[in-house]
Amino acid sequence: MDTFALVVTIAVALFFTYTNGFHDSANAIATSVSTRALTPRAALAMAAVMNLAGAFLGSGVAKTVSEGLIATPTGDQGMMILFAGLVGAITWNMVTWYFGLPSSSSHALFGGLVGAALAGASTVHWDGVLEKVVIPMVISPIVGLILGYFVMVIILWLFRDANPHKAKRGFRIAQTVSAAGMALGHGLQDAQKTMGVVVMALVIGGVEDEGDAIPVWVKISCAAMLSLGTYAGGWRIMRTLGRRIIELDPPQGFAAETTAAGVMYTASFMFQAPISTTHVITSAIMGVGATKRVSAVRWGVAKNIVLGWFITMPAAAGVAALSYWIVNLAFG
């Protein structure tokens, strides 16, 4: 029964990674598709490959998820907590995907883990939640907004005398590079988050010891599922990011993607902070769009997205807590 519970929990974690891929694939490619720098299928294929590569670039974010947010629970109850946390995250992912809202899969996962831990009377590392989740959740969009604005200002100044037609054509080509960098950062961030959950399951199941290196099969499995999910696509969210916030041209798309990629690499390598790719690219698009004129950004759409950000963690936590009580009633 213990082995069965471990296998089921890992399978659910990998399914979460799959939903993360099709939910967040839009983050990496929406701007490139909306500016016609890449066709949707070519963009999705490129994003899938780069997500796979990004998963192998580090393990700091995985360590934060597996050890820094909740105390690793033990025994059957621990596996139920992990299972319920994943169910909460997947449920919220599916709800926001259905409505085309680019909420954060990362924060759905964090909310799910915390909600299930509270329901199971397990310890939550509130200092870790504050330092590694809440503060980056607030700071990263602000940084993305400001940097996006200034990167676009610099591009406008550098190419102020350039032929507009040639400049746009050049930036369409450059966007293939910036979109690849964005997808690589997405793999670096989001594949590691699930790696952390799988490692926690292995520790609960007695297969691994806490602090051990992440097994290669875990990296490959998480990276492959993220890539498969990415290739499945996220058309509803892509439309929101690519067109409903602001109509982007190639220079704006390049600026937004470059900004978001830079913020993700910094968060991963310097702070081991699991930030939301959704938050960063959305705020970068708004910052870039504001250089045109503030009214060019559809702030009503942006407001709905921001509201979604603040709802995500408590909503996923609530679903996870309910899931824990149901599972505990059935199997406890």
Side-chain angles (χ1 to χ4, degrees), residues 22 25 33 38 53 61 64 70 88 170 198 244 273 324:
F22 78 69
S25 58
V33 173
L38 293 168
V61 171
T64 296
I70 65 172
V198 173
R244 286 180 62 205
Y324 174 81

Coordinates of all heavy atoms in Angstrom, one line a residue, residues 22 25 33 38 53 61 64 70 88 170 198 244 273 324:
F22 N 0.9 23.0 -20.3 CA -0.1 23.5 -21.3 C -0.7 24.8 -20.8 O -1.2 25.7 -21.5 CB -1.1 22.5 -21.7 CG -2.2 22.2 -20.8 CD1 -3.2 23.1 -20.5 CD2 -2.3 20.9 -20.2 CE1 -4.3 22.8 -19.7 CE2 -3.4 20.6 -19.4 CZ -4.3 21.5 -19.1
S25 N 2.5 27.4 -21.2 CA 3.2 27.5 -22.5 C 3.1 28.8 -23.1 O 4.0 29.3 -23.8 CB 2.8 26.4 -23.5 OG 1.4 26.5 -23.7
V33 N 4.1 34.7 -31.1 CA 3.0 34.3 -32.0 C 2.2 35.6 -32.3 O 1.8 35.8 -33.5 CB 2.2 33.2 -31.3 CG1 0.9 33.0 -32.2 CG2 3.0 32.0 -31.2
L38 N 6.9 33.9 -34.9 CA 6.9 32.5 -35.1 C 5.4 32.0 -35.3 O 4.5 32.6 -34.8 CB 7.4 31.8 -33.8 CG 8.9 32.0 -33.4 CD1 9.2 31.6 -32.0 CD2 9.8 31.3 -34.4
A53 N 15.5 21.5 -21.9 CA 16.9 21.8 -21.6 C 17.0 22.6 -20.3 O 17.9 22.4 -19.5 CB 17.4 22.7 -22.7
V61 N 15.8 25.9 -6.9 CA 14.4 26.1 -6.8 C 13.7 24.8 -6.2 O 12.9 24.8 -5.4 CB 13.8 26.5 -8.1 CG1 12.2 26.5 -8.0 CG2 14.2 27.9 -8.5
T64 N 14.2 24.6 -2.6 CA 13.3 25.5 -1.8 C 11.9 24.9 -1.7 O 11.3 24.9 -0.6 CB 13.2 26.8 -2.6 OG1 14.5 27.5 -2.6 CG2 12.2 27.7 -1.9
I70 N 7.2 23.7 3.6 CA 6.5 22.9 4.7 C 7.5 21.9 5.2 O 8.4 21.4 4.5 CB 5.2 22.2 4.2 CG1 5.5 21.2 3.2 CG2 4.2 23.3 3.7 CD1 4.3 20.3 2.8
G88 N -5.2 20.1 -5.2 CA -5.6 21.6 -5.1 C -5.0 22.4 -6.2 O -5.7 23.2 -6.9
G170 N 14.0 42.7 -38.4 CA 15.1 42.3 -37.6 C 14.7 41.8 -36.2 O 15.2 40.8 -35.7
V198 N 8.4 15.7 -6.1 CA 8.7 14.3 -6.3 C 9.7 13.9 -5.2 O 9.6 12.8 -4.6 CB 9.1 14.0 -7.7 CG1 9.6 12.6 -7.8 CG2 8.0 14.3 -8.7
R244 N -4.9 40.7 -25.7 CA -5.9 41.4 -24.9 C -5.3 42.5 -24.0 O -6.0 43.4 -23.7 CB -6.8 40.4 -24.1 CG -7.8 39.6 -25.0 CD -8.6 38.7 -24.1 NE -9.4 39.4 -23.1 CZ -9.8 38.9 -22.0 NH1 -9.5 37.7 -21.7 NH2 -10.5 39.6 -21.2
A273 N 14.7 31.4 -5.7 CA 13.3 31.8 -5.5 C 12.4 31.3 -6.6 O 12.7 31.5 -7.7 CB 13.2 33.3 -5.3
Y324 N -7.7 16.9 1.3 CA -7.1 16.2 2.3 C -8.2 15.5 3.3 O -8.1 14.4 3.6 CB -6.2 17.1 3.2 CG -5.6 16.3 4.4 CD1 -4.5 15.5 4.3 CD2 -6.3 16.5 5.6 CE1 -4.1 14.8 5.4 CE2 -5.8 15.8 6.7 CZ -4.7 15.0 6.6 OH -4.2 14.3 7.7

